[in-house]
Amino acid sequence: MHRLLICIALATSPGIGIASTCYGTVAHGRLEEGVQLPKDGANFVAYSSLGVQLGRTYVHSAVREIVVDAYHALELSMPKTTFVYGETGFAKGGQIRPHKTHQAGLSVDFMVPVLNAAGASVPLPGNAANKFGYGIEFDNAGKFKDLRIDYEAMAEHLYQLSRAAESHKLGITRVIFDPRLMPQLLSTNRGAYLHQHLHFMKERPWIRHDEHYHMDFAIPCRPLR
């Protein structure tokens, strides 16, 4: 069974023609044949064009398929919502500062979807001054200046990621999001599903994870030698 799972995880990705292999763990690992996430799409964009150019948005090929499939599904379920993804890792994995994980191509940061004062979906603003979005601090009500976290969109995104992973016979190891903001996320229409199907880290993370939610995908990796 374990051998079968590895074969599934290493299957060639139809859209890119490359199969990745991960080694070790998200906290101590590496990646072969990593592939880069698309820099943008109909309803999503990378957190920083500079980050893309510096090669900080590479993932395992199976992760790329899951992420892209979820965005395609969101085009139908939430066509007016804009999503932003953050950092993932290098093409060959390994340490990517300042992250403690992101080493095996299985970790993805997603910036929280936000609504402006008029209630319209807008990308989370990212620039050098706010550490490309990572330096934004939301209050306990999920607000920052005239922006507020769109919990319904975030919950729908997590739901579609979970379903996309399931469709690829893979899974999600954990999700990290600020525990103080979790009640609002779980009170959404998808809240019951998220509570039942996803493992949210209960311990307080070393950084808040209020402006983004971190996800580790469950893909079998070979031993790190």
Side-chain angles (χ1 to χ4, degrees):
M1 181 64 178
H2 181 66
R3 187 183 300 272
L4 175 61
L5 287 173
I6 291 178
C7 290
I8 292 171
L10 301 183
T12 300
S13 303
I16 51 181
I18 296 175
S20 302
T21 306
C22 57
Y23 295 83
T25 68
V26 294
H28 184 53
R30 65 182 180 88
L31 181 65
E32 287 184 357
E33 301 292 351
V35 295
Q36 200 163 24
L37 288 175
K39 63 182 180 61
D40 55 34
N43 60 346
F44 70 92
V45 65
Y47 75 111
S48 161
S49 59
L50 177 60
V52 172
Q53 294 170 13
L54 292 175
R56 299 176 69 90
T57 57
Y58 279 81
V59 293
H60 190 289
S61 55
V63 172
R64 184 188 192 277
E65 290 191 4
I66 293 168
V67 171
V68 172
D69 285 354
Y71 282 138
H72 286 329
L74 288 165
E75 289 183 53
L76 299 177
S77 63
M78 304 196 84
K80 296 183 179 181
T81 302
T82 300
F83 296 89
V84 179
Y85 71 83
E87 297 199 311
T88 59
F90 291 129
K92 295 184 178 180
Q95 187 174 35
I96 176 169
R97 297 182 184 277
H99 305 280
K100 290 188 174 182
T101 56
H102 292 252
Q103 293 198 23
L106 311 183
S107 305
V108 181
D109 285 347
F110 297 101
M111 314 312 284
V112 291
V114 293
L115 301 171
N116 63 17
S121 175
V122 295
L124 186 73
N127 51 59
N130 66 19
K131 300 180 181 179
F132 301 101
Y134 282 92
I136 291 175
E137 291 288 333
F138 287 90
D139 62 23
N140 289 342
K143 296 181 179 179
F144 169 75
K145 295 183 178 179
D146 64 340
L147 299 176
R148 56 188 173 89
I149 297 175
D150 185 349
Y151 288 104
E152 289 291 346
M154 178 179 169
E156 182 67 17
H157 185 209
L158 288 167
Y159 168 78
Q160 295 296 350
L161 285 165
S162 176
R163 295 301 302 271
E166 182 180 344
S167 72
H168 286 276
K169 309 299 182 184
L170 297 169
I172 295 167
T173 305
R174 66 173 177 173
V175 180
I176 304 176
F177 187 55
D178 189 340
R180 288 171 291 188
L181 302 177
M182 281 296 299
Q184 297 176 77
L185 177 64
L186 296 180
S187 67
T188 60
N189 290 331
R190 297 293 191 187
Y193 177 94
L194 302 184
H195 180 74
Q196 180 178 355
H197 291 87
L198 294 180
H199 171 68
F200 290 90
M201 191 175 81
K202 296 181 180 180
E203 302 80 9
R204 181 169 293 184
W206 70 287
I207 58 173
R208 276 193 66 197
H209 286 77
D210 58 311
E211 78 294 326
H212 77 279
Y213 40 110
H214 169 104
M215 181 171 285
D216 291 326
F217 290 88
I219 296 175
C221 295
R222 296 177 181 177
L224 181 65
R225 298 175 181 175

